[in-house]
Amino acid sequence: MNALTHKHILLGVTGGIAAYKAPELVRRLRDAGADVRVVLTPAAAAFVTPLTLQAVSGRPVHQELLSAEAESGMGHIELARWADLILVAPATADFMARLAHGFADDLLAACCRAARAPIAIAPAMNVGMWQNAATQRNLRQLVDDGVRVFGPGSGSQACGEVGEGRMLEPLELVAACAGQFGGGALAGRRVVVSAGPTFEDLDPVRFIGNRSSGRMGYAVAQAAREAGADVTLVSGPVALPDPPGIAVQRVRSALDMRAAVLAAVADADVYIGTAAVADYRPAAPATQKIKKDRDAFAIELVRNPDILAEVAGLARRPFTVGFAAETDDVLAYARRKLDDKRLDLIAANAVGAGLGFETDDNALTLLWPGGQRELPRASKAALARELIAVIAERLDARG
Ligand code: CTP
């Protein structure tokens, strides 16, 4: 049975151009078995008609907070009680601001305030509005408050710009909703993700690190969570907040990361090694700050254990996924890593030219024994979702 069968989805539509996709979203949710009621904000009614939404949902559309008619039918409290999930799609920058600040001055905002059910938003706006400091601040607040955030995706926008801020496609939103009810592609699976750099201490104040931001790994962890997995994220030092609904273990060095990963994968179904683990560490880190009392000196480095290869070599090994960032001969090197480390799948990416480290976008080639798939340039969040879909597919194929 589908995870959405007989689930009550209260769909809030707010006033952005992506509202034209709302009728299609309602149809897809209903195809998946959900019972859908629509709340339309006044601005949304300028983009999509209540009549259309009523026709596709098979229910009256709710628009007003304060009217005798509204309160004699289903008022905001009843609607909030009815919902198993509130999905706001599209969610405009303005609506995100109002939700983050506790407003309850229209029907949708009041429903969100009254609801005990989880709330998910699918942001949709121009890339500049999405990146705006206030929007990002509101987003962090919403995530802190437990609101699920589906997307946004990136690509060409209605305004003619290209970038992050596109609403996810209706089918992606249906899958994300299903994930909320344990019905995602990785439902019931335990997934461990490593992310970020490792820092190898030279002395109490200095270390050898690398430029990994952790963004790809955090996006992968979040996508696995959205797909219904129980996720543990083992993270090196990064400036990212803990993603909601994910158990995060913060570590510093490669040796710390190894210990945390090996403990976490003991009962895992999947390990995804996105971390940029330092290959070497100082042989004898100084216990006191090194003084500049010499003109030159050499630091002896020793090899760190290869965590990914160790996980792949376990007797009871999870489905093991590696990453390979290469500057040249990407596919040949990646295929060699796949074979040498006996991985189930490797995600290869070319670094440089605005891709890879410290960027929002990436492009990946997925390789597995006997197969290959290109994931063209997209936001790390979008790529992470595609990667998770392929992992789920391969995992199912393996049985
Ligand atoms: N990895 C690991 N432990 C290490 C080093 C790498 O688990 N000590 C994992 C990374 O998380 C990533 C993959 O291995 O999934 C990267 O492969 P690797 O061969 O280490 O890449 P490079 O360090 O770039 O190797 P090379 O110098 O051979 O290109």
Side-chain angles (χ1 to χ4, degrees):
M1 197 162 84
N2 193 298
L4 287 177
T5 305
H6 303 316
K7 288 290 184 291
H8 293 176
I9 309 287
L10 187 66
L11 175 66
V13 181
T14 70
I17 179 62
Y20 83 89
K21 292 186 180 169
E24 173 70 9
L25 176 58
V26 172
R27 292 193 52 180
R28 298 299 183 172
L29 285 166
R30 293 190 70 198
D31 287 349
D35 195 351
V36 183
R37 282 182 181 273
V38 180
V39 173
L40 207 55
T41 64
F47 291 94
V48 59
T49 73
L51 192 59
T52 307
L53 289 163
Q54 180 175 315
V56 289
S57 69
R59 301 270 203 177
V61 168
H62 308 269
Q63 290 181 274
E64 286 183 48
L65 177 60
L66 299 175
S67 76
E69 195 189 337
E71 286 299 311
S72 65
M74 260 190 135
H76 64 286
I77 303 291
E78 284 82 5
L79 284 170
R81 277 196 198 126
W82 177 85
D84 295 314
L85 173 71
I86 298 184
L87 170 64
V88 183
T92 59
D94 179 71
F95 183 76
M96 285 174 62
R98 297 187 322 108
L99 189 61
H101 289 88
F103 282 60
D105 57 348
D106 69 19
L107 179 61
L108 181 58
C111 287
C112 290
R113 290 280 84 83
R116 291 205 176 82
I119 299 172
I121 60 170
M125 66 198 72
N126 156 273
V127 55
M129 292 178 84
W130 173 249
Q131 289 170 347
N132 174 268
T135 308
Q136 290 297 313
R137 191 167 62 236
N138 292 332
L139 175 68
R140 284 191 295 277
Q141 182 62 56
L142 291 169
V143 168
D144 279 353
D145 293 346
V147 172
R148 277 73 159 170
V149 182
F150 299 159
S154 70
S156 64
Q157 303 198 311
C159 54
E161 288 190 63
V162 176
E164 258 195 314
R166 276 170 66 102
M167 187 172 85
L168 294 188
E169 294 302 327
L171 279 178
E172 292 178 301
L173 289 174
V174 172
C177 289
Q180 298 301 308
F181 298 104
L186 288 179
R189 306 278 196 183
R190 295 179 53 84
V191 174
V192 178
V193 180
S194 72
T198 63
F199 285 179
E200 310 299 324
D201 288 337
L202 287 164
D203 72 10
V205 296
R206 303 180 182 95
F207 59 86
I208 299 174
N210 63 65
R211 286 169 49 186
S212 168
S213 65
R215 272 181 258 175
M216 190 68 217
Y218 276 56
V220 167
Q222 226 157 338
R225 174 80 197 97
E226 278 173 25
D230 179 347
V231 183
T232 300
L233 174 62
V234 179
S235 172
V238 296
L240 301 171
D242 287 2
I246 291 173
V248 183
Q249 292 184 35
R250 303 256 174 191
V251 297
R252 182 170 173 83
S253 67
L255 293 182
D256 299 340
M257 184 172 276
R258 172 182 178 272
V261 166
L262 289 181
V265 295
D267 57 354
D269 301 293
V270 180
Y271 173 67
I272 309 172
T274 76
V277 185
D279 292 321
Y280 295 90
R281 67 177 182 280
T287 52
Q288 288 173 329
K289 189 179 166 198
I290 300 167
K291 290 293 182 189
K292 51 179 173 304
D293 51 9
R294 285 162 286 178
D295 285 339
F297 72 102
I299 299 163
E300 193 194 345
L301 300 175
V302 293
R303 269 299 278 275
N304 270 327
D306 188 320
I307 304 169
L308 185 64
E310 259 187 271
V311 171
L314 290 173
R316 191 207 155 278
R317 63 180 244 158
F319 186 92
T320 308
V321 182
F323 267 69
E326 309 284 352
T327 53
D328 48 76
D329 260 340
V330 180
L331 294 190
Y333 280 124
R335 178 74 64 190
R336 191 185 303 165
K337 273 178 202 171
L338 178 78
D339 295 340
D340 288 352
K341 300 195 193 189
R342 297 181 41 246
L343 306 178
D344 295 298
L345 192 140
I346 195 159
N349 67 305
V351 286
L355 289 173
F357 285 173
E358 294 173 345
T359 62
D360 284 323
D361 276 10
N362 211 346
L364 295 172
T365 304
L366 307 185
L367 305 169
W368 60 88
Q372 168 170 345
R373 188 170 316 168
E374 296 294 330
L375 304 184
R377 182 172 183 149
S379 72
K380 288 180 176 174
L383 282 176
R385 278 191 293 271
E386 292 186 64
L387 170 66
I388 289 298
V390 173
I391 290 173
E393 218 176 278
R394 310 271 351 126
L395 204 54
D396 290 343
R398 204 174 67 165

